[in-house]
Amino acid sequence: MDVYEVEDLVKIYPKQTAPANDRITLTVAAGEIFGLLGDNGAGKTTLVRQLANLLAPTSGTIRLFGQPLTVAPLYTPGRIGYMPQDGLALNNLTVGETLYFTAHLRGLARRAAQAERDRLLALLDLEAARDRMSYRLSGGQKRLALLATTIAASPPVLLLDEPTNNLDPQHRRLVWDIVRGLNRERGTTIILVTHSVIEAEKVIQRVGILRAGRLIAVGRPGELKASLNRQLRLEIAFPPNSPPILPNGAAPRELAPGRWQVLIEREAAARYLDALSRSPAVEDFTLSTATLEDLYLALTAEQQEQPL
Amino acid sequence: MIEHRTHQPFPAQLLDMTLVQLANWRWSWRASLLTSVIAPVLSTAALGVFAAGRGPDVLAYILTGNLVMSLLFGTFDRVATHFAYMRMVGRLDYFATLPIYRATLILATVFAFLVLALPAFLITLIAGALFLDLRLALSPWLLVAIPLIGTALCGLGALIGIVVRSPEEVGSLSTLITFLLVGFGPVVIPPEHLPGIVLRLGYLSPATYAASALRQTVLGMADRIPLGVDLVVLAGFLAISLWLVGQRMDWRQA
């Protein structure tokens, strides 16, 4: 069953001529974690806000569980939880109050809403912030509180716009664990926008890549990466300030000082590894198949070369 | 997939939303103290000194005019700013993605800011009456007049907060309108001291009817406009402003 069916969606903002979303057609199946990737300004947030019924499309249709978003005033808000890129839900309330009112307004009984508040405070490591006003929280705590508010009372569909922004590595991992857990245990359909492509790869089941408002690729990461997987990704570390010794014929990319990446043909891998293991200048190296980030970079680079 | 839950019934939504909006006292009390208590009380005192010896009618206008000013700052001005602020920080998005009717947000905001304005109104009333040495003659109709005045002004504030595009402009515009409403019409100044054009313009201002209703229900004075007319006109302002807010406050951005 499809949760979202998007057809020929176009969004042109007032007083603009270039579309922010250009003829987007896609479906998101029930129980799926769907990732939206793209550069800044690619149209990801515009698409997600239209899916949340916060932004009216210029043309095209969006159906949620088979019905138009506007079929009834409470139809879409009764089925989704939306986490915006920034902002606070209710900064005149404490974190505990915000969670309680959100859970209650989403249909839980008063006692159940209190229990949901307590569960979420514990789940998101926010117990110490329970009685603090939202605007007094640190940047990371604000994101966690906003995520807690979004998932309160377990809406069947979650739209998460950059859920790990401003979070330290430990809390980023917590967020991805929660996303995976909601999907696995409750069957929640999750659409997420993220720049943390490498982290997101561990949770995303299907991905859509946007560039300049257009959806340039949709599919399972494995499928999409198949074209790149003829090549392997080799990362090599050299001591800082020493000249890198890189495989002949490869096009290297410097990831960080002293750390290089090259894409090599599978057939040549054994030869390269042999040479690297003998080289005293090499501090470390890793060999892997192409990542979602490689795919994303390859696709966007490919599109940049083609006229839109 | 778990079965999605239904939304709360309208009264439960309204109660929750009112409690959420009442929590605005946490920031609004400072502004209330300054603009809804200190400013009207000082204005009452200053004008009272100048008007000493001009008779109780002039003093009555000073008291009720400043009560209207207290209510204007506590309701109209604060609600306008609040709606603009909600738009600016994305709080309307949060409400728009909750299963609540738009009407509950509008009604809850209007009701909550009326309640939040009442303490300042009462302090201004008591302090002003004591300072001007006016005898209060409270009418039971006051229980109808005050909620009607407060909610009508809140409704107009909500309209300004929704209609004016830039949130930065809302604050200065609502303050300007507050002073214009007090100045244009027999609100603080008795009608015999006002030019004819101002008197006629005053009939368009809700502050004129609010001040007239307060003179009749707080001080028991007879007025050019009967209390029934004041209440009907204020109810009209309330209904029209709430209808317009409902029309203009689309959850969905264009």
Side-chain angles (χ1 to χ4, degrees), chain A:
Chain A
M1 180 193 181
D2 287 331
V3 170
Y4 272 110
E5 296 158 77
V6 178
E7 207 174 325
D8 264 336
L9 190 74
V10 176
K11 177 64 194 177
I12 303 171
Y13 285 104
K15 298 178 187 169
Q16 304 260 324
T17 48
N21 282 161
D22 192 2
R23 288 165 287 158
I24 290 177
T25 296
L26 80 109
T27 56
V28 177
E32 187 168 71
I33 303 181
F34 186 89
L36 273 172
L37 307 181
D39 300 332
N40 291 332
K44 305 181 296 293
T45 296
T46 299
L47 177 56
V48 168
R49 285 179 63 80
Q50 288 176 100
L51 296 176
N53 199 30
L54 290 171
L55 193 60
T58 306
S59 64
T61 57
I62 304 174
R63 298 176 85 83
L64 174 63
F65 292 110
Q67 298 288 333
L69 298 181
T70 51
V71 66
L74 305 189
Y75 180 76
T76 302
R79 285 157 179 79
I80 65 157
Y82 167 65
M83 180 181 185
Q85 218 174 76
D86 49 30
L88 290 165
L90 293 170
N91 58 358
N92 55 322
L93 297 183
T94 64
V95 175
E97 288 168 344
T98 304
L99 292 176
Y100 166 76
F101 281 116
T102 305
H104 186 249
L105 285 167
R106 284 200 177 129
L108 296 192
R110 296 212 178 267
R111 275 180 189 280
Q114 287 164 1
E116 178 72 342
R117 171 199 61 202
D118 296 342
R119 183 184 76 83
L120 291 170
L121 289 170
L123 180 69
L124 281 135
D125 197 15
L126 285 168
E127 277 159 325
R130 176 192 171 122
D131 296 321
R132 289 177 68 188
M133 302 296 290
S134 303
Y135 68 87
R136 290 188 187 277
L137 302 176
S138 69
Q141 282 181 318
K142 279 179 190 164
R143 287 309 281 169
L144 292 174
L146 197 52
L147 178 63
T149 309
T150 307
I151 66 177
S154 305
V157 181
L158 294 177
L159 303 166
L160 309 178
D161 198 346
E162 301 283 3
T164 54
N165 262 7
N166 289 330
L167 295 180
D168 57 48
Q170 189 187 346
H171 284 113
R172 281 211 295 270
R173 179 177 289 186
L174 173 68
V175 168
W176 294 127
D177 286 346
I178 289 169
V179 166
R180 258 194 302 257
L182 285 167
N183 175 257
R184 192 176 53 239
E185 290 153 24
R186 298 175 189 252
T188 307
T189 305
I190 299 165
I191 297 176
L192 64 91
V193 172
T194 183
H195 282 298
S196 307
V197 182
I198 291 176
E199 289 173 19
E201 184 162 10
K202 294 170 192 158
V203 298
I204 286 173
Q205 294 158 1
R206 222 154 56 89
V207 65
I209 298 178
L210 281 164
R211 185 174 175 272
R214 286 192 187 170
L215 195 61
I216 56 173
V218 190
R220 286 190 298 108
E223 275 171 10
L224 295 176
K225 286 191 301 187
S227 59
L228 285 184
N229 272 346
R230 284 179 286 104
Q231 293 183 310
L232 296 172
R233 173 195 173 111
L234 178 62
E235 275 187 36
I236 316 166
F238 297 95
N241 306 321
S242 65
I245 303 158
L246 296 163
N248 290 335
R253 187 159 70 95
E254 190 170 17
L255 302 172
R259 194 160 192 92
W260 293 79
Q261 180 197 296
V262 285
L263 293 175
I264 57 174
E265 296 301 321
R266 278 175 183 264
E267 298 74 31
R271 184 162 46 87
Y272 284 133
L273 293 182
D274 186 44
L276 288 172
S277 59
R278 289 178 205 210
S279 169
V282 174
E283 281 191 333
D284 188 21
F285 65 85
T286 54
L287 185 69
S288 61
T289 54
T291 64
L292 200 51
E293 187 178 56
D294 297 327
L295 171 73
Y296 166 61
L297 291 171
L299 279 172
T300 49
E302 203 174 282
Q303 288 286 316
Q304 268 162 2
E305 286 161 17
Q306 292 172 10
L308 289 172

Side-chain angles (χ1 to χ4, degrees), chain B residues 51-60:
Chain B
R54 295 203 177 190
D57 279 8
V58 174
L59 296 179

